[in-house]
Amino acid sequence: FVVGTQNPVEHEGTYRLPEAQTDRFLFRIKMEFPSIEEEEIIMKRFNKEDYKDMLQQVKPVIDAEGLKAICQTIDNVHVEDQLFTYIARIVHETRNSADIFLGASPRASLAVLKASKALAAFNGRDFITPEDIQYIVPHALNHRIIPSPEKEIEGITTEEIITSIMHNVQIPR
């Protein structure tokens, strides 16, 4: 399990990861700046000298057996054949879109599938829905595609391209 952070301001002396490496991350989640209220809470929390003691209060929420049980639950989530096709079509479109220089790999399809199953299980279901897939796709693909130079010049984001692709792929019912 790896969490990587990237600050767009601090690029000097650092280099983008190659596509083959970014493809190994499940999600790229973009975080916005906190609201004024949230920033005040952050400052107050770190203003106390005992904030380091707060780390001592952190307790495990699951053990290895519990984690295995969760993984088994996710593995047992059912996927209808048309949903495999739906995921494959979305990812395939990233490879055939004029808006994209480099499309998503088969690893992206697996990421969407696994994360959709986890989302369904999290929501108390033993099956995935098209809505699960639609929720997961932007987070699982936004770092796996590279827009065409023309789209980058136009300021079109990967999220906009992914949204367009998802609108063009028929939703199974």
Side-chain angles (χ1 to χ4, degrees), residues 1 19 24 27 32 43 54-55 58 60 71 73-74 85 91 107 113 128 130 140 167:
F1 182 76
E19 292 80 22
R24 285 167 169 76
F27 295 133
E32 302 296 327
M43 289 188 297
M54 293 170 66
L55 293 175
V58 175
C71 291
T73 299
I74 292 169
T85 303
V91 174
R107 187 176 276 122
L113 174 65
I128 69 169
H167 278 78

Side-chain angles (χ1 to χ4, degrees), residues 32-85:
E32 302 296 327
F33 284 112
S35 68
I36 291 173
E37 294 79 16
E38 292 166 334
E39 196 154 350
E40 286 178 16
I41 291 168
I42 292 169
M43 289 188 297
K44 288 175 183 176
R45 187 174 292 152
F46 281 87
N47 184 46
K48 295 180 179 182
E49 286 294 323
D50 61 351
Y51 79 90
K52 292 177 185 167
D53 294 334
M54 293 170 66
L55 293 175
Q56 303 303 320
Q57 298 173 18
V58 175
K59 304 288 185 235
V61 294
I62 194 167
D63 60 13
E65 290 304 313
L67 185 57
K68 285 180 187 177
I70 289 172
C71 291
Q72 186 63 47
T73 299
I74 292 169
D75 285 344
N76 290 333
V77 170
H78 178 72
V79 183
E80 292 286 335
D81 284 344
Q82 71 259 23
L83 296 179
F84 287 115
T85 303

Side-chain angles (χ1 to χ4, degrees), residues 7-15:
N7 185 340
V9 176
E10 299 173 347
H11 282 291
E12 189 173 324
T14 64
Y15 302 92

